[in-house]
């Protein structure tokens, strides 16, 4: 995917506030953030926690899947705010984008580790493939928290209940179709969160024997341009589509754009995220974007920092996996619900 990677240290909020926020991956909305270095993390700690022995939070780093997606921009902002709330304004925060590239993300973690970063917050590009980098970081005394999607070997995971997100979204589809019709799934990167959403969707739709899934393997890369591309192809391939499940709102918004261009209004779209652009689309009474299963990027990010800080002080969570529930926003309740 065509993404300009970002590395942000120290004055994170000032830089991020200059990023145009719109629900899209890549540069589809013209949303590009400048970057001085994509692979090298700024030295975020004046001294190693093993050297001071006081357990004080001095540095936090975040490697995100894609910082041109406003979801991860908000997470980066909240990580900065929460870290400084805990440790004061002297806490150093670094945020980089992996662009869902495993090798790049492994290098980023290595750089964070070498910089004596206290807490590394990881949005894994590859759940299993990132494990060696995670293990090296932990061997060096770093705390690694997975956020939004799981990763092998981490100290803890904070994520949306993604199976539930898929189930809630696709139960809505099944009920609205009254148990009969053709559905396509606009898929995304093969990260654990996406795999779980699709699994939840399939589980929900399996309860409706007369609903047929026409396609579920087309990767729209979690982006608006990808959703436009994939949905355009699907509309050409399948003349009769009744509903679309998009694994996130950017790809769902792209799917709606494909429908508009094709002058098609004979189906409806359900996504996942609760993104501002999707909420606006759902609020359009004449639009085909019908619902979204909301996530809480700020809540997840804050919890990840808090859990990491607890572990830094010797307080491990009772459950290493913390699931954040979702709720469904539809045209019926969109007027009373908020996005991020």
């Amino acid at each position: 995917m065509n993404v300009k990677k970002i590395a942000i240290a120290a004055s994170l909020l000032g830089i991020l506030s200059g990023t145009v926020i719109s629900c899209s991956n890549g540069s589809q909305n013209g949303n590009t953030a400048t970057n001085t270095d994509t692979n090298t993390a700024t030295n975020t700690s004046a001294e190693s926690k093993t050297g001071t022995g006081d357990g004080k939070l001095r540095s936090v780093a975040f490697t995100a899947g894609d910082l041109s997606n406003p979801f991860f921009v908000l997470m980066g902002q909240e990580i900065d705010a929460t870290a400084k709330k805990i440790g004061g304004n002297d806490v150093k925060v670094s945020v980089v984008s992996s662009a869902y590239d495993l090798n790049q993300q492994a290098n980023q973690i290595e750089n964070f580790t070498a910089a004596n970063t206290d807490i590394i917050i990881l949005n894994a590009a590859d759940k299993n493939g990132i494990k060696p980098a995670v293990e090296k970081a932990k061997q060096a005394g770093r705390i690694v928290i997975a956020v939004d999607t799981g990763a092998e070997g981490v100290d803890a995971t904070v994520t949306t209940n993604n199976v539930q997100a898929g189930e809630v979204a696709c139960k809505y589809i099944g009920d609205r179709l009254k148990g009969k019709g053709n559905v396509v799934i606009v898929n995304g990167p093969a990260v654990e969160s996406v795999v779980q959403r699709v699994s939840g969707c399939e589980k929900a739709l399996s309860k409706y024997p007369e609903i047929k899934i026409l396609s579920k393997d087309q990767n729209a890369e979690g982006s608006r341009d990808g959703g436009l591309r994939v949905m355009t192809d699907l509309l050409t391939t399948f003349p009769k589509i009744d509903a679309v499940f998009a694994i996130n709102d950017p790809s769902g918004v792209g799917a709606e754009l494909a429908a508009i261009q094709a002058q098609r209004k004979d189906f409806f779209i359900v996504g996942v995220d609760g993104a501002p652009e999707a909420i606006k689309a759902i609020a359009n009474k004449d639009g085909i974007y019908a619902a979204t299963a909301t996530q809480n990027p700020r809540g997840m990010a804050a919890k990840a920092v808090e859990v990491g800080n607890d572990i830094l002080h010797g307080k491990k969570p009772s459950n290493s996996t913390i699931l954040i529930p979702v709720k469904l926003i539809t045209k019926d309740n969109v007027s009373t619900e908020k996005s991020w």
Side-chain angles (χ1 to χ4, degrees):
M1 87 185 55
N2 181 18
V3 179
K4 291 188 178 180
K5 298 89 179 177
I6 304 173
I8 306 170
S11 302
L12 173 66
L13 287 175
I15 297 173
L16 286 180
S17 63
T19 303
V20 180
I21 295 180
S22 179
C23 291
S24 173
N25 257 344
S27 57
Q28 291 82 5
N29 270 352
N31 290 355
T32 57
T34 58
N35 169 37
T36 57
D37 189 350
T38 58
N39 286 322
T40 303
T42 301
N43 189 328
T44 57
S45 178
E47 38 187 346
S48 168
K49 68 175 184 288
T50 57
T52 63
D54 60 6
K56 182 179 179 180
L57 180 62
R58 288 178 168 79
S59 54
V60 178
F62 176 39
T63 168
D66 180 5
L67 281 171
S68 69
N69 185 333
F71 183 89
F72 294 117
V73 173
L74 288 178
M75 292 190 86
Q77 291 176 341
E78 191 62 36
I79 285 167
D80 180 87
T82 304
K84 289 176 178 175
K85 181 179 179 181
I86 292 171
N89 289 332
D90 290 337
V91 174
K92 304 299 182 182
V93 178
S94 295
V95 175
V96 295
S97 173
S98 73
Y100 294 111
D101 183 297
L102 174 60
N103 291 330
Q104 178 159 273
Q105 190 165 68
N107 288 336
Q108 290 166 348
I109 292 175
E110 182 179 345
N111 290 331
F112 291 146
T113 301
N116 294 327
T117 306
D118 292 323
I119 302 170
I120 299 172
I121 298 177
L122 166 66
N123 176 244
D126 185 316
K127 173 185 177 180
N128 297 310
I130 202 63
K131 183 177 181 180
V134 170
E135 289 180 336
K136 287 181 181 178
K138 290 178 63 179
Q139 287 168 5
R142 313 296 165 238
I143 295 163
V144 185
I145 308 296
V147 69
D148 183 53
T149 191
E152 291 293 328
V154 297
D155 291 288
T157 300
V158 180
T159 181
T160 298
N161 189 334
N162 286 294
V163 174
Q164 181 196 37
E167 289 179 337
V168 167
C170 290
K171 182 181 185 301
Y172 174 87
I173 289 174
D175 289 346
R176 179 163 167 170
L177 292 178
K178 298 181 179 179
K180 183 182 297 186
N182 295 326
V183 176
V184 296
I185 296 174
V186 176
N187 216 316
V191 297
E192 186 181 41
S193 57
V194 172
V195 172
Q196 289 177 343
R197 290 173 201 176
V198 173
S199 174
C201 176
E202 290 182 296
K203 180 180 178 181
L205 293 182
S206 70
K207 298 177 182 179
Y208 304 90
E210 293 185 74
I211 287 182
K212 183 178 181 181
I213 299 177
L214 301 177
S215 171
K216 64 177 183 178
D217 298 322
Q218 296 300 307
N219 179 8
E221 300 177 331
S223 71
R224 188 175 67 171
D225 272 5
L228 171 60
R229 170 180 51 79
V230 166
M231 195 66 212
T232 298
D233 291 343
L234 291 173
L235 288 172
T236 301
T237 304
F238 303 107
K240 180 69 168 68
I241 296 173
D242 298 298
V244 176
F245 172 61
I247 57 87
N248 70 354
D249 284 336
S251 57
V253 169
E256 184 180 42
L257 181 57
I260 292 170
Q261 291 182 354
Q263 298 184 334
R264 293 278 297 273
K265 297 189 70 172
D266 52 326
F267 60 89
F268 62 92
I269 299 168
V270 179
V272 175
D273 273 348
E277 195 168 359
I279 299 301
K280 182 179 179 180
I282 293 168
N284 178 7
K285 63 180 181 180
D286 296 322
I288 63 171
Y289 214 112
T292 182
T294 65
Q295 296 197 86
N296 183 355
R298 291 189 184 277
M300 275 192 285
K303 189 67 174 179
V305 177
E306 291 164 0
V307 169
N309 186 61
D310 285 344
I311 296 173
L312 183 66
H313 290 82
K315 303 173 185 176
K316 292 186 177 181
S318 57
N319 191 329
S320 63
T321 299
I322 299 162
L323 296 178
I324 310 299
V326 302
K327 61 181 178 180
L328 192 70
I329 295 179
T330 69
K331 289 186 182 295
D332 292 333
N333 65 2
V334 68
S335 62
T336 59
E337 297 292 342
K338 295 180 180 180
S339 65
W340 311 322

